[in-house]
Amino acid sequence: MSLFRIEGLVKRFGGLLATDHVDLTVEQGEVHALIGPNGAGKTTLVNLISGLLPPDAGRLLIDERDITALPAHQRVGAGLSRCFQVTRVFARETVHDNLMLAVQAHAGSSMRFLAARSGERALVEQAEALAERVGLSAERDRIAGTLPHGAQRALDVALALAAKPRLLLLDEPMAGMGPDESARMVALIASLRSEMAILLIEHDMDAVFRLANRLTVLVQGRVLMTGTADEVRGHPDVQAVYLGTEAEGHS
Ligand SMILES: Nc1ncnc2c1ncn2[C@@H]1O[C@H](COP(=O)(O)OP(=O)(O)OP(=O)(O)O)[C@@H](O)[C@H]1O
Ligand SMILES: [Mg+2]
């Protein structure tokens, strides 16, 4: 049984078929990369998965539970959490306060039974553990907006982790990063795979081939193929369609 399954998903923008009957599964413990040229429909697919956009047809299932009709916040409760192509940290708050807001937002019923002080203590501990998890402990009291780009993206990942996701959606986490920042993000993503499945959209093919167990190639809204890195690399259609257009530029 797959952790996550998409069946026959369709999204139209006027006359444009941005998501064209997409089928896809993500297995437990898998880093599944979603690649494809600019405009292939990758972000649209993530928006459909996270509930930001309603599909025109098709189904989304977590553990065989149909979540197609659930609003975005209830999908988070069902185990989905995402990072955005554009970072959404509160730039004027400290790293710690950003994390506190995130852990408070996801503090479940367990917290309700704790006395106020031990509840607060538990939240602080969770926020500190998340900072540690993404390598930001030393920046605890720094204003988030003053962090380097790579550290802001790491904070964004930590905010998504506050929801304790079973499936983490990452939309171009390496975008705009230098080689050192990219390497740190690759290591962070690799360290998460034992705890959750990850759907990774990324143009940095070195990072994709290093991290992904399987890849799905999306072209003009359609799944061209799903396979291992070797299968994708060796597929003539992928070389023609994807790698051929990749030279035109990244977003
Ligand atoms: N809200 C919208 N309204 C109309 N068209 C849209 C909308 N969002 C996306 N599109 C179109 O749908 C297609 C897929 O866009 P999408 O952003 O999903 O591609 P992408 O694969 O994420 O591209 P990139 O690699 O540049 O991020 C594009 O042709 C885009 O112009
Ligand atoms: Mg995109």
Side-chain angles (χ1 to χ4, degrees), residues 18-32:
T19 307
D20 186 358
H21 299 87
V22 166
D23 296 317
L24 187 147
T25 60
V26 181
E27 309 300 332
Q28 208 87 46
E30 176 177 50
V31 177
H32 193 125

Side-chain angles (χ1 to χ4, degrees), residues 132-205:
E132 171 89 39
R133 193 79 183 70
V134 301
L136 287 176
S137 289
E139 315 293 345
R140 183 190 193 277
D141 297 317
R142 188 149 160 192
I143 300 296
T146 70
L147 291 170
H149 175 70
Q152 290 197 33
R153 297 308 306 237
L155 179 56
D156 197 23
V157 171
L159 297 179
L161 294 179
K164 302 192 173 83
R166 306 185 60 207
L167 174 62
L168 179 65
L169 308 171
L170 296 173
D171 195 356
E172 301 200 32
M174 274 68 120
M177 286 188 178
D180 290 353
E181 288 179 331
S182 281
R184 270 199 290 275
M185 183 58 79
V186 167
L188 172 58
I189 294 170
S191 77
L192 297 175
R193 71 190 327 159
S194 63
E195 293 158 53
M196 67 201 71
I198 295 171
L199 186 64
L200 170 69
I201 296 177
E202 187 49 61
H203 282 289
D204 177 344
M205 296 308 289

Side-chain angles (χ1 to χ4, degrees), residues 1-247:
M1 187 177 81
S2 300
L3 171 66
F4 179 65
R5 190 149 54 87
I6 298 175
E7 287 178 357
L9 210 61
V10 173
K11 183 67 191 177
R12 290 189 180 85
F13 293 120
L16 175 76
L17 201 48
T19 307
D20 186 358
H21 299 87
V22 166
D23 296 317
L24 187 147
T25 60
V26 181
E27 309 300 332
Q28 208 87 46
E30 176 177 50
V31 177
H32 193 125
L34 189 62
I35 66 170
N38 292 137
K42 304 180 296 294
T43 297
T44 300
L45 191 56
V46 171
N47 287 340
L48 292 168
I49 295 171
S50 61
L52 219 59
L53 285 175
D56 293 311
R59 297 202 306 161
L60 302 157
L61 304 110
I62 287 190
D63 282 336
E64 300 302 308
R65 175 185 174 200
D66 192 327
I67 60 161
T68 317
L70 288 186
H73 67 277
Q74 286 181 24
R75 292 188 196 194
V76 176
L80 277 180
S81 189
R82 77 175 290 187
C83 286
F84 289 84
Q85 198 162 352
V86 178
T87 299
R88 45 78 206 254
V89 301
F90 292 107
R92 292 182 189 167
E93 306 293 334
T94 64
V95 166
H96 182 70
D97 287 345
N98 267 278
L99 291 168
M100 282 298 284
L101 287 169
V103 297
Q104 274 161 359
H106 299 293
S109 49
S110 58
M111 289 290 168
R112 248 177 272 144
F113 299 107
L114 292 174
R117 277 194 51 199
S118 49
E120 171 77 10
R121 187 68 236 150
L123 292 175
V124 169
E125 279 168 14
Q126 280 181 38
E128 288 176 347
L130 285 169
E132 171 89 39
R133 193 79 183 70
V134 301
L136 287 176
S137 289
E139 315 293 345
R140 183 190 193 277
D141 297 317
R142 188 149 160 192
I143 300 296
T146 70
L147 291 170
H149 175 70
Q152 290 197 33
R153 297 308 306 237
L155 179 56
D156 197 23
V157 171
L159 297 179
L161 294 179
K164 302 192 173 83
R166 306 185 60 207
L167 174 62
L168 179 65
L169 308 171
L170 296 173
D171 195 356
E172 301 200 32
M174 274 68 120
M177 286 188 178
D180 290 353
E181 288 179 331
S182 281
R184 270 199 290 275
M185 183 58 79
V186 167
L188 172 58
I189 294 170
S191 77
L192 297 175
R193 71 190 327 159
S194 63
E195 293 158 53
M196 67 201 71
I198 295 171
L199 186 64
L200 170 69
I201 296 177
E202 187 49 61
H203 282 289
D204 177 344
M205 296 308 289
D206 285 343
V208 164
F209 285 127
R210 228 170 303 149
L211 286 167
N213 305 77
R214 288 194 303 158
L215 297 87
T216 289
V217 185
L218 212 58
V219 178
Q220 293 179 356
R222 272 182 309 108
V223 172
L224 180 67
M225 73 169 297
T226 293
T228 63
D230 284 345
E231 285 165 355
V232 166
R233 254 192 292 245
H235 197 290
D237 289 352
V238 173
Q239 286 168 5
V241 175
Y242 180 68
L243 300 176
T245 54
E246 196 204 21

